[in-house]
Amino acid sequence: MNVIPFDATLELYQQQAKAVFANLQSGDEAVQWRFKWMHPRFRGKHVSEVKSASLTLEDAKLLIAREYYFEDWNALAEFTQAVQHEGEVKWLEQAVEAVIAGDVASLRSMLQTHPELVKAHSVRNHHATLLHYLGANGIESYRQKTPANAVEIMKLLLEAGTEPDVLADMYDQKCTTMSMLVSSSHPHEAGLQTALAETLLDHGAALEGPGSEWSSAVLTALLFGYLDTAKALAKRGAKVEHLPIAAGLGQVEETKRLLPTADSLARHQALALAAQLGHLEIVKLLLDAGEDPNRYNPEGFHSHATPLHHAALAGHLDVVKLLVERGARLDICDTLYDSAPLGWAKHGKQAATVAYLDNYLQS
């Protein structure tokens, strides 16, 4: 996707829509996946339905609008008009560019000139604030960046008056910056996820935040595989009195304590997290307690795949071996990519796990 500047004219977006439509007609697989993820007609459906659908240029225009986080083409057109004039829409977009670039001087100057920007919400569908852009998730994909001085930028915004738990509309949920931050690869890869999370906490953000689904910061971090961040949140007081959280954190004794009274859903969730995060002893405890290694993970816990898929992807070879020894099937395919655990191991470039699964299949 070639990124269009925020102050571009509608004509540039039209050119992009025409190019997308042409690529779609030629069978471009990458474009098909873009439709699967972003076109409302294909939400929750398999990419094969994009391939078999009769789509038009209007569908391509809707896709482009959605990729820039507008409800439809008309909303995008209104935006292109608004950013041609001085006002909050244009100023906020300029400030966003400063945030993701780590341009402290420009951001500070803009906030001094337009202090209302510190609490302003985007007109895009996510209605994000400047603070949400530091979460680097739930916003435009091309703006998902974590500058090296992201902590300094965050402190500037919070000290200027941004509410640490302000909500935006992301993934059909009301989300805080914390919930997006601890589910995002960009701050993790920059080595700043934990520092950013602790900065939010230092300025009053809640560990059990407002919003829905991703309200528990520690559970969200575990769900997305960020164990170090989850452990840091636990040290800051996050509640661990729930079996899946104890299992995800690798707390063996706490898992033993909570397991006898946990319900079936909590046990299912615990196995999903323990396998994904490589906690061998806890996986064994759960299997000994009767958990089925061949069930797809529960809703909200990467339910398109099994514990073996996730252990294979992460290269937790000892967990993979245990699951296989306990009857985990190697021929079950996930429901999103139609791939068996071996394919996930290959995708994760886990050579030792690939060799083990390959040898097992051939034996």
Side-chain angles (χ1 to χ4, degrees), residues 124-316:
R124 298 176 191 264
N125 278 352
H126 49 55
H127 304 127
T129 65
L130 293 174
L131 189 65
H132 282 96
Y133 278 88
L134 289 168
N137 193 2
I139 56 171
E140 306 91 282
S141 60
Y142 59 92
R143 280 175 157 172
Q144 292 182 1
K145 303 174 183 178
T146 301
N149 63 343
V151 173
E152 182 182 2
I153 294 284
M154 179 175 280
K155 287 179 179 178
L156 172 60
L157 292 173
L158 290 166
E159 291 167 6
T162 298
E163 293 295 327
D165 286 327
V166 63
L167 296 171
D169 299 302
M170 295 162 166
Y171 303 109
D172 299 321
Q173 305 284 332
K174 292 291 184 181
C175 298
T176 62
T177 299
M178 178 72 85
S179 64
M180 293 295 94
L181 170 67
V182 299
S183 63
S184 178
S185 63
H186 305 281
H188 171 74
E189 291 167 359
L192 294 172
Q193 188 180 62
T194 298
L196 287 165
E198 292 192 323
T199 300
L200 285 169
L201 293 175
D202 290 341
H203 288 80
L207 283 164
E208 299 284 334
S212 52
E213 188 165 344
W214 297 292
S215 59
S216 168
V218 66
L219 180 57
T220 301
L222 291 170
L223 277 168
F224 287 87
Y226 303 123
L227 183 57
D228 289 345
T229 297
K231 287 181 176 180
L233 294 172
K235 287 181 179 178
R236 292 290 296 262
K239 295 179 182 178
V240 189
E241 300 169 357
H242 187 42
L243 178 65
I245 294 177
L249 288 169
Q251 297 182 355
V252 177
E253 294 306 315
E254 188 69 1
T255 299
K256 289 179 179 179
R257 184 183 73 81
L258 294 169
L259 183 55
T261 57
D263 61 24
S264 60
L265 177 58
R267 292 176 176 219
H268 193 187
Q269 294 170 339
L271 179 61
L273 287 178
Q276 176 187 342
L277 293 162
H279 301 314
L280 179 65
E281 189 172 348
I282 292 175
V283 172
K284 185 177 184 299
L285 283 171
L286 291 161
L287 294 175
D288 287 345
E291 282 304 298
D292 181 359
N294 288 311
R295 283 195 297 174
Y296 287 100
N297 289 347
E299 189 67 31
F301 286 68
H302 311 292
S303 59
H304 59 288
T306 68
L308 182 57
H309 281 92
H310 288 284
L313 177 68
H316 300 310

Side-chain angles (χ1 to χ4, degrees), residues 16-92:
Q16 200 167 70
K18 290 177 181 178
V20 163
F21 186 56
N23 289 337
L24 180 68
Q25 289 181 308
S26 69
D28 187 307
E29 188 173 350
V31 170
Q32 292 168 353
W33 277 97
R34 286 168 65 182
F35 272 85
K36 182 261 180 296
W37 289 121
M38 297 302 293
H39 193 292
R41 178 175 167 184
F42 302 104
R43 290 186 60 185
K45 297 182 179 179
H46 197 274
V47 69
S48 61
E49 298 201 31
V50 178
K51 297 176 183 180
S52 62
S54 297
L55 297 171
T56 67
L57 178 58
E58 290 304 308
D59 288 299
K61 290 168 67 176
L62 178 55
L63 172 69
I64 294 300
R66 287 302 181 95
E67 288 186 327
Y68 287 94
Y69 281 72
F70 295 99
E71 186 65 24
D72 52 32
W73 190 256
N74 288 336
L76 173 58
E78 291 176 5
F79 172 81
T80 61
Q81 291 297 315
V83 292
Q84 302 306 315
H85 307 284
E86 296 300 315
E88 187 173 286
V89 174
K90 180 178 180 178
W91 300 334
L92 185 61

